[in-house]
Amino acid sequence: MRRQASERSGTALSDSFGRTVDYLRISVTDRCNERCLYCMPEGYKGWAQKEDHLTADEIIRSVAAATELGFRKFRITGGEPLIRRDIIEILSGIWELPGVQTLGVSTNATHLGDLAPRIRQAGVRSLNISLDALNPEIYHRITGGRLESVLKGLHKAHEQGFEVIKLNCVLLRGLNECQYLPLIEFAVRHGMPLRFIELMPVSTAGIMDDPRFLSVEEVFQRLSAIGSLSAREDFRLGHGPARYYEFSHERLKSPAMIGFIGAMTTTHFCATCNKLRLTADGKLRPCLGRHGEIDLRGSLRGGGDPLDAFREAVANKPENHEFLQAYEPGRPMTAIGG
Ligand code: SAM
């Protein structure tokens, strides 16, 4: 049974730039059963040791500490979070905490065929599902995975009555361009918003010169040329930076809801940033696009006050990411948590 928020769940912190920070994205593992070429560099061997991963209890204690500082929104990610054997324990432990308002999961959907009902029962309201292609060969080339298991998982999740299921597609010139319209049609058929995400230099350097880089603006122009896009400035889904548009096209029975996440080319992208990341090995990361991390694991294991680690991380949030300043990747996305 879920407890109500108590006075212990405090008011939210603001960073040095006046942004309210009340959203924590938690990676529960750096491991993944897929090998997305933009996420995990080929031959990557920098895995965290098992004993360095936060335990289920430590993750739940981290969330409890965060709620005391006014964090209300939580999303579980990885690596692939659903490969963790104790994932249901983690999800229900978080959902039972007073102060937790929303709990979402980001997943590649391959394990949803088995887990979707238990994830829904554990309190999860929203799923973000990565889907870069609907053509099985293209899907395999990008992710190393099998589209069939993804679609099975997606359909199972669809039956479970999650409040929101969003689809995420990373834009990759020369790899999945032919998939955008089929993905939009699929999204409309299933009543799911679809977000197009610009490639970020988290796992490989020099993204702006990378032949695969494709800007959200270019995709926006292409869609405008074949249909009509109208801004839905009023529309917010989840707690992230996507800008939403309704897209109408002769092949669609109803308009698609499309989000654009242009971390590299959208000016003021960071202006509304409201989040911290917690890595699977217990580091708080104030910004995806800057290297500094603050050790929370040490505090959880007896070396200090976890609340101080959260306060320090919020105080260390930079105004903007450094992706455009010759950023050199450190830990890849799979290790930071997407
Ligand atoms: N395994 C889960 C999944 O597939 O969604 C969760 C983790 S994954 C790292 C989360 C998100 O990060 C995915 O939507 C993926 O598209 C995005 N991502 C990973 N590397 C990226 C990169 N270099 N640029 C942009 N997005 C990236």
Side-chain angles (χ1 to χ4, degrees):
M1 175 54 93
R2 190 144 196 265
R3 284 175 287 152
Q4 294 301 307
S6 70
E7 312 78 63
R8 283 191 78 214
S9 20
T11 45
L13 297 174
S14 291
D15 71 3
S16 324
F17 306 95
R19 296 170 298 199
T20 300
V21 182
D22 61 355
Y23 177 24
L24 183 64
R25 202 174 286 186
I26 304 161
S27 171
V28 295
T29 179
D30 58 352
R31 312 295 206 270
C32 190
N33 57 333
E34 292 195 329
R35 293 284 174 275
C36 297
L37 42 83
Y38 47 75
C39 186
M40 194 187 296
E42 234 184 299
Y44 177 69
K45 297 244 170 7
W47 311 112
Q49 299 299 305
K50 201 133 189 64
E51 59 273 19
D52 292 337
H53 277 93
L54 296 185
T55 63
D57 176 61
E58 286 168 341
I59 293 169
I60 295 163
R61 280 169 48 216
S62 302
V63 174
T67 61
E68 288 196 42
L69 295 171
F71 282 77
R72 295 284 173 268
K73 303 153 190 168
F74 299 88
R75 174 165 291 280
I76 302 300
T77 184
E80 173 47 44
L82 305 191
I83 63 174
R84 227 181 119 139
R85 294 222 176 101
D86 52 1
I87 188 66
I88 301 297
E89 183 192 333
I90 293 171
L91 294 171
S92 41
I94 292 175
W95 185 240
E96 278 169 18
L97 291 170
V100 173
Q101 263 171 20
T102 66
L103 178 59
V105 171
S106 292
T107 173
N108 59 29
T110 52
H111 284 57
L112 283 176
D114 296 329
L115 287 175
R118 290 168 68 206
I119 291 173
R120 182 70 192 89
Q121 272 164 21
V124 173
R125 309 277 180 87
S126 97
L127 296 175
N128 283 4
I129 295 181
S130 291
L131 189 63
D132 292 332
L134 283 169
N135 170 297
E137 281 95 64
I138 299 177
Y139 184 85
H140 180 74
R141 207 177 312 149
I142 296 171
T143 66
R146 282 175 51 243
L147 182 69
E148 201 188 312
S149 59
V150 173
L151 295 181
K152 188 174 153 223
L154 229 153
H155 288 124
K156 188 74 182 178
H158 195 226
E159 290 166 12
Q160 300 304 312
F162 286 92
E163 282 169 22
V164 195
I165 302 180
K166 290 172 258 170
L167 302 175
N168 284 339
C169 169
V170 176
L171 299 171
L172 296 163
R173 192 189 294 279
L175 276 166
N176 63 2
E177 287 164 283
C178 64
Q179 295 295 292
Y180 303 153
L181 201 51
L183 281 166
I184 292 171
E185 287 181 277
F186 180 91
V188 168
R189 261 201 321 278
H190 294 86
M192 299 173 185
L194 170 67
R195 287 114 54 88
F196 289 123
I197 303 175
E198 266 173 9
L199 198 55
M200 292 179 271
V202 198
S203 304
T204 49
I207 283 295
M208 299 309 281
D209 301 320
D210 190 318
R212 298 170 307 176
F213 182 80
L214 178 58
S215 70
V216 288
E217 176 61 23
E218 191 172 331
V219 174
F220 186 93
Q221 295 304 338
R222 287 186 198 174
L223 293 179
S224 304
I226 57 166
S228 79
L229 278 162
S230 51
R232 286 289 308 268
E233 266 144 37
D234 55 314
F235 189 79
R236 278 192 67 75
L237 247 193
H239 318 291
R243 291 193 308 192
Y244 285 93
Y245 290 79
E246 269 185 6
F247 175 63
S248 305
H249 182 274
E250 60 188 20
R251 267 163 55 181
L252 302 176
K253 282 207 177 104
S254 56
M257 188 60 84
I258 300 190
F260 292 91
I261 304 182
M264 303 304 291
T265 59
T266 309
T267 41
H268 310 302
F269 183 77
C270 306
T272 53
C273 184
N274 54 356
K275 67 174 163 288
L276 294 183
R277 283 184 158 78
L278 174 59
T279 65
D281 58 352
K283 311 287 176 209
L284 284 169
R285 179 126 175 162
C287 171
L288 177 63
R290 207 172 79 150
H291 290 305
E293 293 175 353
I294 288 119
D295 183 36
L296 177 67
R297 192 181 69 214
S299 317
L300 292 165
R301 294 185 181 174
D305 183 350
L307 268 62
D308 286 341
F310 276 100
R311 288 191 191 99
E312 190 182 339
V314 171
N316 274 291
K317 270 185 78 62
E319 188 168 15
N320 292 300
H321 64 65
E322 292 178 350
F323 282 149
L324 293 165
Q325 281 104 52
Y327 180 86
E328 280 297 324
R331 306 218 268 173
M333 193 69 133
T334 192
I336 298 172

